Amino acid sequence: MTTARSFGNYDLAAALADLIDNSIQANARNVWVEFDPADDDVIVRICDDGRGMTLEVLIDAMRPASRSPEEKRDALDLGRFGWGLKSASLSQARVLTVVSWNDAGINAARWDIDNIDNWSMDIFQEEDALDFLESKPLASSGTEVIWAHCDRLYDKSINATIDERLNEKISHARKQLSLIFHRYLSGESDRPLSIYIQSISLSPVDPFMTAHPATQSLDGELIQIRGGEHIQVKPYVIPHFSKLTVSERLALGGEEGLVRNQGFYVYRNKRLIIYGTWFRLVPHSELSQLTRVRIDLPNSLDAEWKITLDKSDAQLPPTLRKRLRAVVQKFSKRSVGVHRRKGVDLNTIDKSPVWRRNAHNNRIRYLINRDHPIIREILTEAGDPFVVNEAIRLLEAYVPIDVIQNDLETSPDKVVQAITDPSEFDSLIVGSHLHLDEEHGRSTGF
Ligand SMILES: Nc1ncnc2c1ncn2[C@@H]1O[C@H](COP(=O)(O)OP(=O)(O)OP(=O)(O)O)[C@@H](O)[C@H]1O
Ligand SMILES: [Mg+2]
C-alpha cells in the first residue's frame, strides 16, 4: 500500500480528477471538495451525491486492484485499473476513509498506511460511519472520501503559513479541474456535473473557445479503427490573442499559455487526459500556436493509447501517426493565415505609426505622428490646426509614463493598449475617406 503512493504521477488536481471520475461514474450531479486545516494537517473531503455503495461494494472498492484493466468496461465508464480511489488518495494522504450511504444504510472503510495489520481494513457501520461526516448527508445517497495525514499535499519545508501553501495548491487544482471536466461542467456531456471547491463552483474553461465568434472550427474527421471503433478529430483555430478580453486570456493561461497549450487535446469519454502536445508530429513552432485539435477517444482504446493509471498521460499509437500528421498539415496553413493577415495589418500600422519614439539630446519622448493619415486628417480638416496641434501636444506631454511602467512591471498581461481588431482600424481609415496603400503602407489620398 505504501508503494501505491508512488503509482502514477499525481498532483492534487490529477488525484481529485480520479475521484471525480468515480463520482461521475456513480451518476453524481454534484461534487463538493473541502479543505479543512487541522493542527499540522489538512483534512480533505470529496463528497458526491452519486448512487453510493453498499458495504459489500465498498469493501470491494477499497481493495487494491479491485478490477482488472483487461476487463471490458461499459462504454461510458471512466475507470480502467481498479486503483484510482486508492492510488489517487494515497498519493496525497496517509489515511484514506471512504464513507458511503444509500437506502441500504451507511458504512465506512479505512486504510491507514501506518497501521495496516495483516491486510485488515477498518470497517465502520451506521452511527460509527456517520460520525466521520461533518454533518448529516444532504443527499439520500452518496459517497465521501476523506483524506487525512496529508503529508504530500504541500511542501512543509517552504516558509509559508499552511493557508498560503494550501491556497496556491487549491487555486492551481481549481484551474486544472475547470479544464479537465469542462465538457461535464458546461453540460455538453449527457452527465452534467457541478463541482464546488471550498463552496465555490467551478466554471468550465473551454480550450477551443467554441463560443467565441472569432474561433474557427474546422471540419472534423472520423477515423475508423479496427473492430468498428472510431476516434473523432476536430481542429480549431482560436482567436488571436489581441481579440481576447483580459479574462479570456487569463483563462487560457496568458500569452505564454497560448503558445504552450497549442496541440492535441485528448479526451477519453469527454474527460481531458492530456493536452498541449503535438506528439512530436509537428514542431511547436509559432505558426501553429493558435491551433488546437480535439481528439475524442472511447475507453476501449485505452491499451492502444497507453492511458496511464493516473489518467494524465497517453501515447499516440504508431498506426495513427500518419493519419494525424495529414490532419495537422491540412489545417496548419489556416493558422498561418490568421497570423499573416494580422502581420500585414500591423506592418501597415508600423509603417505609419501612431506614436513616434523620439530620442534626442539624451532624452526620449513619445510623440504622436503628425503624418499618420488620421492625425493628418484631423489637422487639416477639423477646424483650427493650431488648436488641434496644441491638443495633441497636451496629450503627448501627459502620457502617464510612470503608471504605465508600474503596470508593465506588475501585471504586463493586463496592459492591453493595442488595437484589438485590425478591421476596426481599417474601417476607421475608410470612414475618414482615406485609403492605405497595402503594399507601401502610405496614404494615397481619397
Ligand atoms: N464515489 C463513488 N461512488 C460510488 N462508487 C464508487 C465511488 N468511488 C469508487 N467507487 C467504486 O469503487 C470502485 C473502485 O474505484 P477505483 O477508482 O479504485 O477503480 P476504477 O474506477 O474501477 O478504475 P480506475 O483505477 O481506472 O479509476 C469503482 O469501480 C466503483 O465501483
Ligand atoms: Mg476510478
Side-chain angles (χ1 to χ4, degrees):
M1 287 301 265
T2 311
T3 309
R5 309 200 75 197
S6 309
F7 287 176
N9 194 18
Y10 290 103
D11 61 3
L12 174 61
L16 291 174
D18 222 346
L19 299 190
I20 295 171
D21 280 350
N22 287 342
S23 299
I24 294 174
Q25 202 49 41
N27 281 335
R29 288 298 164 115
N30 298 285
V31 174
W32 298 270
V33 183
E34 293 294 325
F35 295 80
D36 301 322
D39 300 327
D40 201 19
D41 192 16
V42 177
I43 309 290
V44 187
R45 297 171 179 274
I46 304 100
C47 182
D48 69 40
D49 57 358
R51 75 173 77 87
M53 292 177 265
T54 59
L55 180 60
E56 201 185 355
V57 174
L58 174 64
I59 290 172
D60 203 37
M62 290 292 272
R63 259 191 321 120
S66 49
R67 278 178 79 176
S68 161
E70 292 181 349
E71 212 175 289
K72 189 166 171 7
R73 295 257 183 171
D74 177 77
L76 290 179
D77 202 331
L78 288 161
R80 168 56 55 195
F81 300 95
W83 260 112
L85 174 63
K86 289 73 68 175
S87 53
S89 302
L90 296 176
S91 76
Q92 307 295 310
R94 297 183 78 83
V95 182
L96 160 66
T97 312
V98 179
V99 187
S100 201
W101 61 94
N102 57 21
D103 293 349
I106 178 166
N107 301 286
R110 182 169 69 189
W111 285 118
D112 178 348
I113 285 280
D114 300 306
N115 191 14
I116 294 182
D117 194 8
N118 199 23
W119 280 113
S120 67
M121 183 173 24
D122 295 325
I123 302 288
F124 307 84
Q125 288 181 275
E126 298 307 323
E127 284 301 313
D128 292 342
L130 197 59
D131 278 349
F132 284 107
L133 303 181
E134 291 267 271
S135 53
K136 270 193 131 191
L138 292 173
S140 57
S141 64
T143 298
E144 182 162 312
V145 176
I146 306 168
W147 299 344
H149 294 190
C150 294
D151 58 343
R152 298 249 183 102
L153 193 54
Y154 53 84
D155 188 350
K156 288 194 174 155
S157 65
I158 297 173
N159 189 16
T161 66
I162 198 167
D163 279 342
E164 284 165 352
R165 286 182 296 215
L166 203 55
N167 283 343
E168 202 194 312
K169 283 269 183 175
I170 296 174
S171 128
H172 179 257
R174 187 189 290 281
K175 283 188 200 137
Q176 286 294 308
L177 295 172
S178 303
L179 181 62
I180 293 174
F181 291 105
H182 74 94
R183 294 168 80 181
Y184 289 88
L185 294 169
S186 70
E188 182 202 319
S189 158
D190 294 340
R191 297 180 282 179
L193 182 74
S194 297
I195 303 174
Y196 302 85
I197 297 189
Q198 304 290 68
S199 307
I200 301 171
S201 70
L202 296 190
S203 305
V205 170
D206 173 3
F208 311 108
M209 312 201 75
T210 41
H212 198 288
T215 292
Q216 300 172 45
S217 129
L218 280 64
D219 288 344
E221 275 194 37
L222 213 57
I223 302 181
Q224 292 287 341
I225 315 277
R226 48 129 196 96
E229 300 291 359
H230 58 256
I231 66 170
Q232 278 183 34
V233 182
K234 188 155 175 62
Y236 292 88
V237 181
I238 59 168
H240 191 275
F241 199 62
S242 61
K243 289 188 180 158
L244 305 178
T245 63
V246 173
S247 58
E248 285 166 343
R249 291 173 195 201
L250 287 178
L252 290 174
E255 197 154 9
E256 191 198 333
L258 270 178
V259 180
R260 202 181 43 228
N261 299 337
Q262 60 175 285
F264 292 113
Y265 282 67
V266 182
Y267 294 79
R268 175 177 176 272
N269 282 352
K270 296 207 164 88
R271 185 275 218 212
L272 187 59
I273 298 284
I274 183 172
Y275 65 96
T277 172
W278 284 120
F279 293 118
R280 283 187 271 142
L281 287 180
V282 285
H284 256 254
S285 68
E286 239 198 71
L287 290 182
S288 39
Q289 69 177 244
L290 301 177
T291 314
R292 298 176 175 201
V293 183
R294 194 178 78 190
I295 299 187
D296 274 307
L297 301 182
N299 67 11
S300 50
L301 296 175
D302 287 349
E304 284 85 345
W305 281 77
K306 299 203 172 74
I307 302 289
T308 55
L309 186 116
D310 54 10
K311 320 263 182 358
S312 52
D313 204 1
Q315 288 175 31
L316 179 63
T319 46
L320 276 176
R321 292 193 78 81
K322 225 168 122 187
R323 237 1 237 283
L324 282 185
R325 186 178 285 123
V327 174
V328 175
Q329 278 162 355
K330 204 164 58 185
F331 69 73
S332 66
K333 287 199 193 81
R334 220 178 240 260
S335 181
V336 174
V338 174
H339 269 271
R340 281 232 186 92
R341 217 165 351 104
K342 187 80 193 155
V344 169
D345 289 335
L346 288 179
N347 283 342
T348 312
I349 295 170
D350 277 353
K351 283 171 193 159
S352 203
V354 181
W355 287 93
R356 280 195 303 118
R357 182 175 177 277
N358 175 285
H360 192 59
N361 281 350
N362 240 352
R363 273 174 43 183
I364 298 171
R365 290 192 302 158
Y366 302 95
L367 304 176
I368 292 176
N369 177 14
R370 307 293 194 279
D371 288 329
H372 185 280
I374 293 176
I375 307 299
R376 204 167 53 205
E377 166 109 342
I378 298 176
L379 281 169
T380 54
E381 299 291 320
D384 187 343
F386 176 77
V387 177
V388 178
N389 198 40
E390 283 309 290
I392 294 178
R393 271 175 31 118
L394 184 75
L395 294 175
E396 285 171 345
Y398 288 94
V399 174
I401 292 199
D402 45 351
V403 182
I404 296 173
Q405 182 181 6
N406 183 48
D407 284 341
L408 285 178
E409 275 167 13
T410 51
S411 38
D413 276 10
K414 295 188 183 159
V415 180
V416 191
Q417 184 73 12
I419 281 179
T420 50
D421 182 353
S423 57
E424 214 181 292
F425 177 74
D426 284 346
S427 67
L428 265 180
I429 294 173
V430 172
S432 66
H433 309 291
L434 282 167
H435 167 71
L436 271 190
D437 181 324
E438 286 273 327
E439 286 249 320
H440 306 291
R442 281 184 281 108
S443 162
T444 53
F446 295 89

